[in-house]
């Protein structure tokens, strides 16, 4: 035992042998007997692939902190990572391995039989995957910044691969695999890519990136890239890895935490909503909670870049977790009065609560122009007035060689970055409301209905929502994308024909103060946040400048085809 101070003791390298003979290794932190008795105690479990000594301390308190509050804390390396045996394949083994770990913990002398799980990102998925096995002793979970549906909430956004995050995370994970398998050449390639990770999305064709194609490396990154379609009828590659078809197996309360600028924002929000409606019991459905904060994936706090979000953004998430676990594992009752949904609203830079997540858009804004909405110098505007005549179509050219760059720039950084410079290009359309006369609160998931035609055999449209402040900043709020091969996979798609593109943007919350405006940008790329569409029938992952093709995109806003932005707004229209 190692002394961690204040009576907390650490036992390293504890082995749990699974039914298939694979041994998983964990570190155990024990509370002080002087302050919390001789035990046994409730147990907190985190299962992670990044090294159990790290224990997600980049965003959480050290496990010793939770042990000082009377918890037996267990940080376990998942199969094939750290000190654990076996072969790692992302997500594949976490259901059974997690359930067997929980069964083993219930027999551990330090565990009183009541177990909670916590962690974010992959550590969030290990909780959900264990929970579908409904293991005895698992009382509650706290999955943060993760997804119940890996295809829609983690890797793909309405048909487009989340390129920067997928390739970056894949390279990060493969580095340990190369070292474990003593693959020096593969390791050197991966380390070189990792040293300049933000540039890797520029490699084309990206499916042939030399850092991920070594046949001796595990194939999970290549599999993410090659399985481009969602599963049908609940069966296939993705549903075998996640819980999207097994939501009715979840029987435990869950505290979901998301960040408005997290890569897995929609995965977390959709996960909360899915378990709130489809969880396996009334008890589970009634005890799903959501906190939506103003955060990126790492770290959580009151700043994104140089943008200060105010003191309210700096939430004590460790204290929140402690109240959650005290309530469910110790019977303290201290979470009983917590709201179902707590969310941070930009602009007001403060928190608000809701009884339920909003599901309907209450305000309709129509796209208008004189036919030249290109860039913020153009004549596009948004209003509550439906077109009374056929206005000229807005036209722009999409060039995959010179794509419209992601909201966070060529490195696809996350945050409320100023879009004012990027709005100068004629390869996107800009529509702006009049300034609001009174404060307006947007909370929920915006969506668009675009009547559009494109000359391409395959095409994308993106819709980006921006807050225009009185100081002239155009602050990014949220974005959505739809790919023709995904959106029209059932109905069919033809070039040079007007189709109705209906798709959602990611959720957001913002309060526009009097004098501020909303802005909608329409383009056909947000690279490298999403992979670029080659505009041909070549699969995007195998496309390069040899088979990229320019295309002409048209947006209609006429009496018959009114293109629309639908907003979830609290209160009356401020116009």
């Amino acid at each position: 035992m190692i002394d961690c101070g204040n009576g907390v003791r650490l036992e390293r390298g504890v082995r749990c042998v699974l039914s298939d003979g694979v041994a998983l290794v964990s570190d155990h932190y024990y509370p002080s007997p002087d302050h919390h008795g001789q035990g046994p105690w409730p147990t907190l479990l985190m299962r992670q692939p990044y090294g159990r000594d790290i224990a997600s301390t980049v965003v959480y308190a050290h496990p010793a902190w939770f042990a000082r509050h009377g918890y037996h804390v267990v940080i376990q390396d998942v199969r094939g990572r750290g000190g654990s045996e076996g072969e790692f394949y992302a997500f594949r083994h976490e259901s059974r391995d997690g359930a067997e770990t929980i069964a083993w913990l219930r027999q551990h002398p330090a565990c009183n039989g009541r177990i909670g799980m916590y962690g974010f990102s992959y550590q969030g998925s290990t909780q959900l995957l264990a929970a579908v096995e409904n293991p005895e002793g698992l009382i509650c979970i706290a999955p943060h910044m993760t997804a119940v549906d890996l295809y829609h909430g983690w890797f793909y956004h309405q048909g487009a691969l989340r390129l920067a995050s997928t390739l970056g995370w894949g390279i990060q994970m493969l580095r340990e695999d190369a070292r474990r398998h003593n693959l020096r050449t593969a390791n050197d390639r991966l380390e070189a890519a990792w040293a300049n990770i933000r540039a890797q999305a520029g490699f084309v064709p990206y499916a042939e990136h030399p850092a991920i194609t070594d046949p001796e490396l595990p194939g999970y990154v290549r599999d993410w890239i090659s399985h481009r379609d969602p599963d049908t009828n609940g069966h296939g590659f993705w549903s075998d890895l996640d819980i999207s078809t097994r939501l009715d197996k979840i029987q435990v309360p869950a505290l979901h935490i998301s960040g408005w600028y997290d890569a897995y924002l929609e995965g977390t929000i959709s996960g909360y909503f899915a378990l709130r409606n489809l969880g396996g019991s009334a008890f589970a459905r009634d005890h799903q909670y959501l906190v939506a904060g103003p955060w990126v994936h790492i770290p959580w706090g009151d700043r994104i870049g140089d943008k200060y979000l105010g003191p309210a953004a700096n939430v004590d998430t460790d204290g929140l977790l402690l109240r959650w676990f005290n309530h469910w594992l110790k019977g303290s009752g201290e979470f009983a009065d917590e709201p179902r949904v707590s969310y941070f609203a930009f602009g007001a830079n403060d928190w608000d609560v809701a009884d339920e997540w909003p599901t309907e858009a209450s305000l309709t804004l129509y796209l208008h122009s004189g036919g030249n909405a290109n860039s913020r110098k153009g004549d596009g505007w948004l209003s509550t007035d439906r077109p009374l005549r056929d206005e000229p179509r807005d036209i722009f050219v999409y060039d995959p060689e010179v794509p419209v760059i992601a909201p966070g720039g060529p490195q696809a950084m996350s945050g409320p970055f100023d879009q004012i410079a990027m709005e100068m290009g004629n390869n996107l359309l800009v529509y702006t409301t009049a300034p609001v006369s009174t404060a307006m609160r947007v909370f929920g998931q915006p969506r668009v209905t675009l009547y559009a035609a494109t000359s391409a055999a395959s095409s994308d449209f993106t819709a980006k929502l921006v807050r225009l402040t009185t100081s002239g900043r155009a602050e990014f709020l949220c974005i959505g994308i739809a790919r023709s091969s995904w959106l029209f996979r059932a109905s069919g798609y033809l070039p040079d024909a007007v189709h109705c593109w209906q798709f959602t943007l990611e959720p957001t919350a913002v309060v526009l103060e009097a004098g501020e405006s909303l802005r909608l940008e329409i383009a056909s790329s947000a690279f490298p946040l999403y992979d670029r569409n080659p505009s041909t029938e070549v699969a995007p992952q195998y496309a390069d400048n040899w088979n990229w093709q320019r295309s002409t995109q048209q947006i209609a806003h006429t009496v018959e085809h009114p293109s629309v932005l639908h907003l979830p707004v609290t209160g009356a229209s401020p116009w």
Side-chain angles (χ1 to χ4, degrees):
M1 290 286 186
I2 297 169
D3 183 4
C4 295
N6 302 105
V8 173
R9 296 151 298 147
L10 164 62
E11 182 181 11
R12 291 197 180 112
V14 181
R15 288 165 56 88
C16 165
V17 181
L18 304 177
S19 59
D20 63 357
V22 168
L24 304 185
V25 176
S26 54
D27 289 346
H28 291 234
Y29 297 81
Y30 302 101
S32 166
D34 294 337
H35 296 94
H36 300 285
Q38 296 297 322
W41 306 278
T43 295
L44 302 184
L45 170 64
M46 177 190 291
R47 305 188 64 251
Q48 52 72 50
Y50 301 111
R52 62 188 186 276
D53 54 335
I54 298 173
S56 294
T57 49
V58 67
V59 294
Y60 297 121
H62 193 275
W65 184 85
F66 290 101
R68 287 200 297 271
H69 287 85
Y71 288 95
H72 165 224
V73 186
V74 179
I75 312 297
Q76 184 182 70
D77 291 328
V78 300
R79 177 185 296 250
R81 311 299 279 188
S84 293
E85 299 172 355
E87 295 297 320
F88 178 76
Y89 186 100
F91 308 103
R92 178 166 287 170
H93 305 287
E94 308 305 354
S95 283
R96 187 189 67 181
D97 289 0
E100 290 195 18
T101 295
I102 290 168
W104 169 74
L105 279 174
R106 290 188 68 242
Q107 305 304 314
H108 193 285
C111 177
N112 69 0
R114 301 180 65 79
I115 299 167
M117 295 184 73
Y118 76 109
F120 84 115
S121 198
Y122 194 88
Q123 296 85 281
S125 70
T126 61
Q127 299 174 61
L128 295 164
L129 287 161
V132 295
E133 300 293 325
N134 197 18
E136 187 175 356
L138 182 62
I139 304 301
C140 63
I141 59 177
H144 303 160
M145 297 185 174
T146 189
V148 302
D149 183 326
L150 292 175
Y151 178 85
H152 294 98
W154 191 298
F155 292 100
Y156 288 86
H157 192 182
Q158 296 168 160
L161 178 70
R162 299 176 189 270
L163 178 61
S165 60
T166 298
L167 192 58
W169 184 55
I171 289 170
Q172 177 189 4
M173 300 302 282
L174 288 172
R175 291 162 64 234
E176 179 165 339
D177 294 310
R179 291 192 291 267
R180 285 178 73 98
H181 291 83
N182 199 29
L183 301 174
R184 186 55 186 263
T185 301
N187 176 76
D188 290 347
R189 290 196 197 101
L190 287 160
E191 290 298 331
W194 184 247
N196 191 18
I197 192 62
R198 295 287 182 178
Q200 302 312 308
F203 185 94
V204 290
Y206 63 83
E208 298 176 6
H209 194 297
I212 66 173
T213 51
D214 190 314
E216 294 188 276
L217 288 171
Y220 51 84
V221 179
R222 299 190 293 274
D223 290 343
W224 302 336
I225 290 171
S226 63
H227 289 85
R228 301 194 63 85
D229 298 318
D231 296 342
T232 56
N233 301 319
H235 299 286
F237 173 79
W238 296 107
S239 54
D240 287 346
L241 296 179
D242 64 26
I243 70 165
S244 58
T245 60
R246 298 179 285 168
L247 296 166
D248 61 338
K249 305 297 184 184
I250 300 286
Q251 302 281 336
V252 294
L255 173 60
H256 308 260
I257 293 183
S258 64
W260 291 129
Y261 293 108
D262 176 42
Y264 312 129
L265 164 65
E266 192 157 4
T268 305
I269 302 291
S270 297
Y272 160 79
F273 196 66
L275 291 175
R276 179 80 177 96
N277 289 278
L278 301 172
S281 68
F283 176 77
R285 293 190 295 272
D286 288 344
H287 292 97
Q288 302 295 314
Y289 296 85
L290 173 67
V291 177
W295 306 309
V296 295
H297 198 58
I298 302 173
W300 310 345
D302 57 8
R303 291 184 182 273
I304 301 178
D306 62 355
K307 176 72 174 178
Y308 177 56
L309 301 172
N314 209 18
V315 172
D316 178 11
T317 49
D318 296 317
L320 180 68
L321 270 176
L322 192 62
R323 294 198 303 276
W324 172 256
F325 289 125
N326 286 347
H327 178 90
W328 294 109
L329 301 182
K330 294 184 177 182
S332 71
E334 59 196 277
F335 211 83
D337 296 328
E338 292 288 337
R340 176 83 62 194
V341 176
S342 301
Y343 68 94
F344 185 94
F346 294 102
N349 284 356
D350 209 348
W351 292 85
D352 205 341
V353 299
D355 293 330
E356 293 293 348
W357 179 262
T359 58
E360 297 296 329
S362 56
L363 180 64
T364 298
L365 295 175
Y366 294 90
L367 280 63
H368 297 273
S369 82
N372 187 26
N374 305 72
S375 84
R376 62 182 172 86
K377 298 177 294 183
D379 60 3
W381 79 94
L382 293 167
S383 82
T384 55
D385 299 324
R386 187 184 180 96
L388 299 177
R389 59 179 180 81
D390 288 352
E391 299 170 358
R393 293 182 182 181
D394 288 311
I395 302 174
F396 67 96
V397 174
Y398 164 62
D399 184 352
E401 192 164 4
V402 190
V404 173
I405 299 300
Q411 295 184 328
M413 302 293 285
S414 299
F417 295 110
D418 192 354
Q419 306 298 290
I420 207 76
M422 286 191 282
E423 292 173 345
M424 292 297 291
N426 280 346
N427 54 353
L428 79 164
L429 307 177
V430 176
Y431 303 89
T432 308
T433 68
V436 297
S437 57
T438 58
M440 181 181 78
R441 179 178 294 266
V442 178
F443 168 52
Q445 189 156 34
R447 57 187 174 89
V448 292
T449 299
L450 303 178
Y451 288 95
T454 169
S455 63
S458 176
S459 191
D460 295 346
F461 278 101
T462 63
K464 185 200 304 180
L465 192 63
V466 169
R467 168 189 169 219
L468 191 63
T469 69
T470 53
S471 65
R473 283 178 57 87
E475 291 188 350
F476 168 64
L477 293 173
C478 60
I479 193 169
I481 189 171
R483 182 155 289 171
S484 58
S485 57
W486 178 85
L487 191 61
F488 304 109
R489 60 192 182 279
S491 60
Y493 165 82
L494 292 171
D496 294 317
V498 174
H499 292 275
C500 181
W501 294 66
Q502 291 183 312
F503 59 94
T504 58
L505 285 66
E506 292 199 320
T508 192
V510 62
V511 175
L512 266 67
E513 302 297 340
E516 297 184 334
S517 302
L518 276 180
R519 179 170 282 172
L520 179 69
E521 299 175 19
I522 302 297
S524 284
S525 60
F527 179 79
L529 178 64
Y530 307 119
D531 64 345
R532 56 188 133 194
N533 197 320
S535 299
T536 65
E537 295 181 351
V538 176
Q541 69 269 33
Y542 296 117
D544 58 18
N545 57 6
W546 187 257
N547 40 50
W548 287 336
Q549 189 174 93
R550 300 184 187 96
S551 58
T552 301
Q553 322 290 66
Q554 302 182 53
I555 300 293
H557 30 89
T558 65
V559 174
E560 182 183 3
H561 295 138
S563 293
V564 173
L565 167 64
H566 308 274
L567 286 176
V569 170
T570 302
S573 167
W575 295 288

